Structures are given as structure tokens and as C-alpha cells.
Amino acid sequence: RAKANGRSQAMVFDEAMRAESLRLLDLEADLRRSINADAFDVHLQPIVHLGNGRVVGHEALVRWRHETLGLLSPGAFIGVGEDSGLVREIDWLVYRKVAEWMAGGRSKGYVSINVSPLHFRSPEFATRLLATLDAVGADPARLRIEVTEASLLEDSGRTLAQLNELKARGVLAMLDDFGTGFSALSYLRSFPFHALKIDRSFVAGLQESSRGESEALVRAIVSLADGLGIDCIAEGVETRHQRQCLREEGCLYGQGYLFGRPQALPVLSARSG
Ligand code: C2E
Ligand code: MG
Ligand code: MG
Ligand code: MG
């Protein structure tokens, strides 16, 4: 009986796995179709100076206009995009739109784009990104890239070469989600980062009653960045209290619902244009 039971459990497991892979395959096929149809929008969220509230730049965040599910955030599809490699094609659609918007002359400050770690596997990434800007006449000095620690792990020599190639044209690099990855601090010395983005989990912790620990972590991150001469940007700032704490800890820049939610490109350009 134990054996029979084991077998039926195995079957149930197989069914679940098949359902799961079918679900993934569907999403992958959907993504492929949507790439061809260019069903991706770029939303921009302001990054501000925490002291005076001035907008210093915007982060570009992709949204998928799904035919049946509506507007989807990256959490729903970037994972499948990474597994299938399709995220690279999605990113190129995003980068082209960002470049066109920048060339339109309406952007305020810089625009930062998220770069999947998969891009750095291609030695052509930096060259292609610069060519994308040049093709429409966008100023590279107003573009920034956000990379995660995962990008620094794979082939660090190749990644470093590309970050330097971009920096030579004025495209500065920011380390995203700082504090959530491996945080081998030597990265900060080896790679030419202009800024680090404090992950929003630390900022969320500033709101809790036991916020002492988050405060200590934010303080440590800010002083690390100060010592290295790089900027700090806090992610996920939702309350005035968080903003105040961050200012007290010496964090200069922030981004979050308190200052503005991500908004579709055309809306934004219409407003500031
Ligand atoms: P991220 O780069 O850390 O982006 C910040 C995320 O925090 C965004 O989620 C943003 O909408 C959200 N956020 C901003 N302010 C607040 C706030 O005050 N509270 C809360 N709870 N959340 C806030 P989103 O747009 O869903 O993007 C999620 C992640 O997907 C991004 O995290 C980034 O890693 C990735 N991603 C977004 N756009 C792209 C893209 O074009 N290409 C690639 N490869 N990845 C992207
Ligand atoms: Mg980011
Ligand atoms: Mg981030
Ligand atoms: Mg984050």
C-alpha cells in the first residue's frame, strides 16, 4: 500500500509540474507574441532630492499591456523573461522608447534604466546601448543604468569593461537593491558605481516600532557610500516619517510613492512639455 501511495503521490507531483510548465510555456509564448507586437509600455517614477524635493531624474519601469490580463508589473513576467532570455528583447524595446523620449528634450534630469544581468553576457551590450542613444540623438550623459549584484558575479571582467565603456560616454552606473544581494563590499571598489540604491526593505523598516535596526543599517550604508564618495538613493519612500529619518541619516536622494508613482511616458511628456 505504501508503494501504491508513493506512486500516486509521484503522479500528482508530475501533474503539478506539468501544469506549472504549461503555465510557464504559455507565458513565454505570450511574451514572444507581445514582443513582436510591442505591447510594452515605459512608466517613469521621479527620483528626488530629499532635502528640497526637486526632481533629479526618473527611473524607467516596464509594464506589459497583456491582451486579457491588463497592465502587468514586472513581478509577473520578468522571471519568465529571464529564464527564457526574452527579457533582453523586452529591455531593448524599453531602451529605445527611453532614448526617443530623452531625445524629445522633455526629460528632467537623468533617466535610469534597469539592466538585466543577461545583457552583460554579450560583449556588445554597451556598444549597442550607446548606438541606440546615438541613433536618435539622445545625450548619454543623461542616461544611467541600474545593475544588480547578480551582474557583477557572472563574468566580472566583461561586465567591468562594459561599465567603463559606458562611463567613458557619460552613462553612469548605479547599484540597485543594495543590501539584498551578496553585498561583497569589494564590488564597490572594483566597479565604477556612481550611486547605490538602498533597497526598500530597509526603508520600510524605518516605519516599524522596532526601527532601531533599520536605522542602524541605513546609517551604515550611507556612511559606506560617503566614504567611497558615491551617492545614495533610498527606494520605496512612502511616508514623511521615512523621508525625515533618511534625511537625518544623511541620505540625499529618494524615490517612492510619497513623491510620485510610476506614470506612463506620454502622460509625463504631455505634462512637462
Ligand atoms: P526596482 O528596480 O528595484 O524598481 C523599484 C520598484 O519599486 C518598482 O517596481 C517600483 O514601482 C516600486 N516602487 C517604487 N516606489 C515604491 C514605494 O513607495 N513603495 C513600494 N512598495 N514600491 C515602490 P516595479 O515597477 O514593479 O518593478 C519591479 C522590478 O522589476 C524592478 O525593481 C526591476 O528590478 C525590474 N524591472 C522594472 N523595469 C524593468 C526593465 O525595464 N527591465 C528589467 N530588466 N527589469 C525591470
Ligand atoms: Mg531599479
Ligand atoms: Mg531597486
Ligand atoms: Mg528594490
Side-chain angles (χ1 to χ4, degrees), residues 108-182:
K108 204 175 183 190
Y110 61 82
V111 181
S112 69
I113 52 172
N114 289 284
V115 178
S116 163
L118 293 187
H119 287 297
F120 291 106
R121 290 189 191 162
S122 152
E124 300 304 312
F125 172 71
T127 309
R128 183 171 169 190
L129 182 58
L130 292 167
T132 302
L133 298 172
D134 292 341
V136 295
D139 178 6
R142 296 182 73 177
L143 185 74
R144 294 196 183 184
I145 57 170
E146 299 194 6
V147 303
T148 56
E149 281 167 277
S151 292
L152 313 179
L153 285 175
E154 287 202 11
D155 179 342
S156 54
R158 181 144 56 189
T159 304
L160 178 61
Q162 301 204 57
L163 293 183
N164 282 329
E165 180 181 347
L166 290 167
K167 191 182 173 187
R169 292 279 316 273
V171 181
L172 301 175
M174 314 207 281
L175 187 54
D176 206 352
D177 303 336
F178 186 79
T180 57
F182 308 90

Side-chain angles (χ1 to χ4, degrees), residues 233-272:
I233 302 167
E235 299 184 318
V237 184
E238 294 182 353
T239 68
R240 285 161 51 198
H241 174 75
Q242 288 167 341
R243 177 186 186 174
Q244 189 52 34
C245 287
L246 287 161
R247 286 187 64 187
E248 281 164 16
E249 301 306 339
C251 178
L252 277 190
Y253 303 100
Q255 172 183 2
Y257 298 160
L258 179 65
F259 308 109
R261 293 192 175 246
Q263 284 193 32
L265 264 183
V267 175
L268 234 146
S269 50
R271 267 198 195 163
S272 52

Side-chain angles (χ1 to χ4, degrees), residues 31-32 34-35 38 40 62-64 77-78 80-82 84-96 119:
L31 271 182
R32 244 179 246 286
S34 295
I35 288 167
D38 191 1
F40 297 91
V62 68
R63 299 290 180 261
W64 180 11
F77 61 90
I78 287 287
V80 173
E82 299 257 348
S84 59
L86 292 172
V87 68
R88 280 175 299 211
E89 289 171 56
I90 298 169
D91 278 353
W92 286 116
L93 295 175
V94 169
Y95 302 164
R96 204 194 58 217
H119 287 297

